[in-house]
Amino acid sequence: MALAAALRVPARVLLRAGARLPGVALGLTERVDGWGDGARRFGSQRVLVEPDAGAGVAVMKLKNPPVNTLSLEFLTELVICLEKLENDKSFRGVVLTSDCPGVFSAGLDLTEMCGKSPAHYAEYWKAVQELWLQFYQSNLVLVSAINGACPAGGCLMTLTCDYRVLADNPRFKDTLENVIGHRAAERALQLGLLFPPAEALQVGIVDQVVPEEQVQSTALSAIAQWMTIPDHARQLTKAMMRKATASRLITQRDADVQNFVSFISKDSIQKSLQLYLERLKEKKG
């Protein structure tokens, strides 16, 4: 199913939620103590990458506070950082985690979908498509270290990964269906369900649930296991298993964008989004 349909949820549980943007740049920052020789952090305004070239692994941290909302700029920076790692042959795996306490990602950015032009909605959805395609088809081993709340678009991003580790802290159609099965996916999407850790593990959205302080270390252990498999064999198998799902979006990208723009431009949807954003402002005030 197209991404636009996968992310459609009832108004009462609206998401809190590739095109390249001018001015988005990546730069090297300080050397990282404890990482491989010469390893340096790099990234952008909203993404921090901590590489260990010696181990062939990088930790990619989402840092778009307060809740890692997936804005147009953030989506673009995530794709650029992943491509930079893929083009560096010293890296074989990536751990995806959050630098914002208590939340992995709250999902799509409502402000990108409210009160803007159809052209902007199309640009935004193309960036969502690009993120999904790049992460879902990556040759790298991708492991999510989910260290906080992860609804809707945030959940979709983790579902593109090869393995998911979730923090045990009580505080999407094809992709979700491929992971948990058709009936469970249908029920979750129609009801807009948010799964607590134990239930997320039970239905198979995540592969492990561990104490919060062990999330990243467990993800690194998991990625080490995946990296025992020769890259060529693993990449061929991954491509074969995911080809049909990715091809459906690739062949329907324009139609998917049109469906999204048509849906999000409806007066009823715009009014719901505006009301929700106003309520958020009132809470913050």
Side-chain angles (χ1 to χ4, degrees), residues 200-264:
L201 180 63
Q202 183 180 17
V203 301
I205 292 179
V206 298
D207 298 293
Q208 276 185 269
V209 173
V210 300
E212 190 168 2
E213 65 275 9
Q214 297 177 20
V215 170
Q216 186 165 313
S217 61
T218 302
L220 288 168
S221 296
I223 213 168
Q225 180 183 9
W226 283 72
M227 286 168 55
T228 61
I229 306 300
D231 284 341
H232 184 65
R234 181 190 57 76
Q235 290 166 0
L236 282 176
T237 302
K238 181 176 181 177
M240 178 180 66
M241 295 297 295
R242 298 190 172 194
K243 181 179 180 180
T245 299
S247 294
R248 275 194 288 274
L249 176 60
I250 292 169
T251 58
Q252 299 173 14
R253 287 188 77 167
D254 290 342
D256 187 50
V257 170
Q258 292 172 10
N259 288 338
F260 174 75
V261 173
S262 175
F263 172 76
I264 210 69

Side-chain angles (χ1 to χ4, degrees), residues 136-158:
Y136 192 67
Q137 298 181 107
S138 177
N139 282 327
L140 298 169
V141 179
L142 299 184
V143 175
S144 291
I146 309 168
N147 54 343
C150 187
C155 180
L156 185 71
M157 180 165 54
T158 68

Side-chain angles (χ1 to χ4, degrees), residues 28-39:
L28 293 176
T29 58
E30 74 274 15
R31 182 165 176 164
V32 185
D33 293 334
W35 289 89
D37 291 342

Side-chain angles (χ1 to χ4, degrees), residues 51-58 88-94 140-141 223 227:
D52 183 352
V57 176
D88 186 335
K89 300 308 178 185
S90 60
F91 293 101
R92 299 175 60 205
V94 176
L140 298 169
V141 179
I223 213 168
M227 286 168 55

Side-chain angles (χ1 to χ4, degrees), residues 1-3 5-7 132 136 155-156 158-160 164 172-190 195 203-205 241 244-245 248:
M1 175 181 285
L3 285 180
L7 286 174
W132 185 86
Y136 192 67
C155 180
L156 185 71
T158 68
L159 289 171
T160 65
R164 287 163 290 281
F172 6 114
K173 196 296 196 148
D174 274 353
T175 318
L176 183 61
E177 182 181 331
N178 288 347
V179 175
I180 70 173
H182 181 88
R183 175 54 188 155
E186 178 185 357
R187 176 173 173 268
L189 290 169
Q190 289 204 39
F195 295 104
V203 301
I205 292 179
M241 295 297 295
T245 299
R248 275 194 288 274

